[in-house]
Amino acid sequence: MDQYSIFIRYVVDGMIHERLISVKSCIDSTGKGMMNLLKKAVDTVGLDITHCIGNATDGAANMRGAYNRFTSWLSEEAPGQVHVWCYSHVLNLVISDATKSPIAVANFFYLIHSCAVFFKESYQRMNLWKELSEKDNIHKRLQAICETRWTAKETAIKRLFGTYNSLDDNGMLSDLLLVLTKIVQNPNLNPDVRSKASNFISSFIKYETILVAHMYMKIFQITGPLSRYLQSNKLDLLKCQQMVTSALENLKGIQRGVENVKEKKEWPKKKKTFNYENEEDLITIPEKKFTIEVLNTVLDTVVNSMNTRFVKNNSLYFDLSLLCPKNFPFNNLKDIPESAFLTLATKLKLFIPFNDNKENNVPDIRNRLSEELWNFSNSWKYLKNSLEEEYDKITLNKTISEDQDEDEENYENLSTLCNLTCKSCLICCYRLLVKYNLFSSAYSLLTLAYKYLLTLPVTQVSCERSFSTLKYLKNRLRNSMANEKLESFMLMSIEKSILLELDNDTIINELGTKSDLLSKLLL
């Protein structure tokens, strides 16, 4: 029986929160069954499912789809909700696609995995590895390739070959070759073991292996930070989309980065004969062969996969990007494109209470939102300053007027005080609107747009992380634990911060009311 964790994401007082509300056993994995499971969990904690603005899933077949999947059933209850295919899963699929083809790449990762398994399956070999690989009393381990662990391939390459442009500084390849050589030269070991070690040496010292490793170190240098950021807590959608766009541009920059790659364009479009052994049709230069068959194929796969998998909801993301303070100010209302906010207005319409004085159609909401954003963007440089900063600016202006030789750097330092906030992000905008009660009348629709953006889910890494906790809680000694008790243990372990805030006396008094015996013992 499968276990499913259900997290909710919400914004309170300008703070983004992600909380585990339930852990359920699923007996019906269809889209409708998953919807009934979610609805029961949400009703238990007193939430209205019609207020759901989005869901983030791993993109499984029973989750996304337009007809009979979980997303379609959820859309019937919450018509304005948006399905966000978990960014972390999408990026993992992109990397997975890029490490399966061509055959040289598949052989490369199989080689790394086989070598790690080769040492782990024998304590004698592992002891040889420990003796020669320990430096500074730190034992370096080889990383096996695991498809479910998103950073396994990046870690495996980094441990063996080091980081990009520093192959010999922190890699373990030289240590690995020494250990394998020692195994080959040991006559007391099994011949099959010595033969495997010899084959590993021959494979690792190939120039093609080093080129593939170098290529993937460059790719992981770009995608690695993005992957780690997507697995952190309290993300906002716009920042993730910006990082994805940046990573895609960097990948395009190295897409044709090898010399002589332009020779690919000199290939004849149509072959003169069907003789595939014609010298004109054969690729005889090894560098050109590697560039065309491996490097171009891999990078084209990565770029095309990112383009196709991250394009969903682009119109909504473009609307939300205008809310970022980095795009302020809009000097004129016409600076905001006419097509902007149409998608966002459609989503916000469901959350705006009906008012006889204002039309609630999409064009009217779009116009009101544009006007509020234009006014807010031009007032942002004044609104973001605290009272202390305003006094500092006034005092400093007087000082500068008295002494024209005053250094201008002091003014810049005083006028850009952070006051514990960066004042250049979406959360700062929302906090300011809430703190000074600007959401009540001045920027009511704009505040709703910021709240919508901050609440929209990006990944479901928190759900994935909860199963690591489940692995420790439901071990072989607790194999028969009931689901209700397991759910309680999960809630206490994951939401430990809330548990520590509870008063022990309150818990004891509540427990004492459960039965007469507990009342006598505890109260």
Side-chain angles (χ1 to χ4, degrees):
M1 188 178 296
D2 294 332
Q3 299 284 345
Y4 285 87
S5 298
I6 302 174
F7 281 75
I8 60 172
R9 180 183 174 95
Y10 59 95
V11 179
V12 176
D13 297 332
M15 296 295 295
I16 303 175
H17 301 276
E18 287 186 356
R19 299 298 184 194
L20 173 67
I21 62 171
S22 182
V23 180
K24 297 295 184 182
S25 297
C26 182
I27 58 176
D28 184 7
S29 61
T30 62
K32 187 175 182 179
M34 297 298 297
M35 176 59 199
N36 294 333
L37 194 69
L38 173 64
K39 192 171 182 180
K40 186 183 298 184
V42 171
D43 291 340
T44 303
V45 295
L47 296 176
D48 188 358
I49 199 171
T50 60
H51 293 164
C52 174
I53 69 167
N55 73 91
T57 67
D58 59 358
N62 63 335
M63 289 296 179
R64 58 188 182 95
Y67 299 103
N68 199 28
R69 305 307 183 196
F70 167 76
T71 301
S72 61
W73 287 103
L74 181 58
S75 296
E76 293 185 2
E77 297 287 342
Q81 70 90 26
V82 178
H83 175 256
V84 179
W85 191 356
C86 174
Y87 273 35
S88 295
H89 277 86
V90 171
L91 184 61
N92 183 50
L93 291 174
V94 170
I95 300 301
S96 179
D97 291 344
T99 55
K100 292 180 179 179
S101 180
I103 190 63
V105 171
N107 291 338
F108 172 76
F109 284 101
Y110 179 76
L111 173 65
I112 296 178
H113 177 74
S114 300
C115 189
V117 174
F118 174 75
F119 283 96
K120 290 182 178 180
E121 64 185 5
S122 170
Y123 75 91
Q124 292 180 337
R125 286 169 244 161
M126 184 59 69
N127 288 337
L128 289 175
W129 170 253
K130 287 181 180 180
E131 291 176 2
L132 294 181
S133 67
E134 287 183 352
K135 293 181 179 179
D136 300 326
N137 297 323
I138 298 177
H139 172 53
K140 298 180 180 180
R141 302 190 179 191
L142 297 173
Q143 175 69 47
I145 303 298
C146 178
E147 294 296 335
T148 59
R149 190 171 294 276
W150 293 334
T151 58
K153 294 176 181 178
E154 179 185 0
T155 304
I157 293 178
K158 186 178 294 185
R159 289 184 181 180
L160 267 181
F161 298 94
T163 55
Y164 188 71
N165 291 331
S166 59
L167 295 179
D168 299 330
D169 294 342
N170 49 9
M172 299 187 300
L173 183 59
S174 58
D175 295 335
L176 177 62
L177 295 177
L178 288 175
V179 176
L180 291 174
T181 303
K182 189 172 183 179
I183 293 175
V184 171
Q185 295 175 351
N186 191 344
N188 297 325
L189 294 178
N190 192 308
D192 292 339
V193 174
R194 297 170 62 190
S195 177
K196 285 184 178 181
S198 178
N199 291 333
F200 282 138
I201 294 175
S202 301
S203 300
F204 274 114
I205 62 177
K206 284 183 179 179
Y207 186 57
E208 183 182 49
T209 302
I210 303 300
L211 285 177
V212 173
H214 202 70
M215 175 184 65
Y216 275 99
M217 281 190 291
K218 183 61 178 178
I219 294 176
F220 287 135
Q221 188 183 43
I222 297 173
T223 61
L226 174 61
S227 177
R228 290 187 288 273
Y229 175 74
L230 293 176
Q231 297 180 52
S232 59
N233 295 323
K234 301 180 180 180
L235 305 175
D236 65 83
L237 181 63
L238 183 55
K239 186 60 64 178
C240 292
Q241 186 66 22
Q242 289 172 343
M243 291 196 66
V244 168
T245 304
S246 175
L248 185 58
E249 291 299 322
N250 291 332
L251 288 170
K252 290 180 179 179
I254 64 172
Q255 196 170 4
R256 294 292 185 268
V258 178
E259 294 182 0
N260 301 325
V261 70
K262 294 182 180 180
E263 292 180 3
K264 180 180 179 181
K265 297 181 179 179
E266 298 177 2
W267 286 8
K269 295 181 178 179
K270 294 183 178 180
K271 296 184 177 181
K272 298 178 180 179
T273 64
F274 290 97
N275 180 16
Y276 291 99
E277 295 183 355
N278 191 340
E279 293 183 359
E280 296 181 357
D281 298 329
L282 293 177
I283 306 174
T284 58
I285 303 176
E287 183 180 5
K288 178 181 176 182
K289 182 180 178 67
F290 176 83
T291 300
I292 296 173
E293 296 183 356
V294 180
L295 186 135
N296 289 352
T297 302
V298 170
L299 288 175
D300 288 347
T301 301
V302 174
V303 172
N304 293 334
S305 184
M306 289 190 71
N307 276 323
T308 55
R309 294 180 187 273
F310 283 101
V311 295
K312 191 176 181 181
N313 303 322
N314 265 356
S315 60
L316 178 61
Y317 299 159
F318 291 149
D319 289 349
L320 296 175
S321 64
L322 295 175
L323 303 178
C324 182
K326 293 183 179 180
N327 295 325
F328 294 170
F330 298 99
N331 298 323
N332 194 304
L333 189 58
K334 295 182 180 179
D335 291 341
I336 300 177
E338 294 183 359
S339 59
F341 295 138
L342 291 177
T343 306
L344 181 59
T346 305
K347 302 297 181 182
L348 296 180
K349 179 181 178 181
L350 303 172
F351 302 97
I352 301 175
F354 181 76
N355 190 336
D356 293 334
N357 297 326
K358 296 179 180 180
E359 295 292 337
N360 273 3
N361 54 61
V362 172
D364 184 67
I365 295 174
R366 183 263 169 199
N367 293 334
R368 287 163 49 197
L369 185 58
S370 298
E371 291 174 0
E372 291 186 10
L373 178 62
W374 170 74
N375 187 283
F376 182 74
S377 67
N378 286 278
S379 304
W380 174 247
K381 60 182 178 180
Y382 304 108
L383 292 174
K384 67 181 180 179
N385 292 332
S386 63
L387 182 61
E388 293 81 2
E389 290 175 320
E390 290 297 330
Y391 274 112
D392 288 337
K393 288 171 64 176
I394 294 173
T395 304
L396 188 62
N397 287 334
K398 291 181 179 180
T399 305
I400 295 176
S401 62
E402 294 174 0
D403 186 3
Q404 296 296 330
D405 295 331
E406 183 71 24
D407 190 1
E408 294 182 356
E409 293 183 358
N410 294 330
Y411 175 75
E412 294 179 357
N413 293 333
L414 287 173
S415 62
T416 58
L417 291 177
C418 189
N419 196 23
L420 301 180
T421 56
C422 66
K423 298 181 181 178
S424 61
C425 67
L426 303 167
I427 297 179
C428 290
C429 293
Y430 180 74
R431 284 178 179 174
L432 184 141
L433 293 169
V434 173
K435 181 179 180 180
Y436 298 107
N437 201 28
L438 296 174
F439 64 91
S440 59
S441 57
Y443 304 110
S444 58
L445 196 56
L446 185 62
T447 304
L448 183 62
Y450 276 112
K451 193 171 184 178
Y452 180 90
L453 170 57
L454 295 175
T455 310
L456 201 63
V458 182
T459 69
Q460 48 111 44
V461 173
S462 298
C463 296
E464 298 288 342
R465 194 178 289 116
S466 67
F467 290 104
S468 299
T469 304
L470 178 64
K471 179 176 64 176
Y472 294 108
L473 291 177
K474 194 170 183 179
N475 51 36
R476 63 184 184 86
L477 298 179
R478 295 173 178 163
N479 194 28
S480 59
M481 184 187 301
N483 188 73
E484 293 182 358
K485 186 174 290 186
L486 176 62
E487 182 177 1
S488 299
F489 280 126
M490 287 280 288
L491 288 169
M492 288 188 292
S493 178
I494 294 175
E495 304 296 344
K496 189 178 297 183
S497 59
I498 300 178
L499 181 64
L500 295 176
E501 293 176 358
L502 298 178
D503 185 16
N504 293 334
D505 294 335
T506 303
I507 298 176
I508 293 174
N509 294 334
E510 181 69 22
L511 188 61
T513 60
K514 298 298 181 180
S515 66
D516 294 336
L517 178 61
L518 291 175
S519 179
K520 293 178 181 180
L521 294 175
L522 299 177
L523 301 180

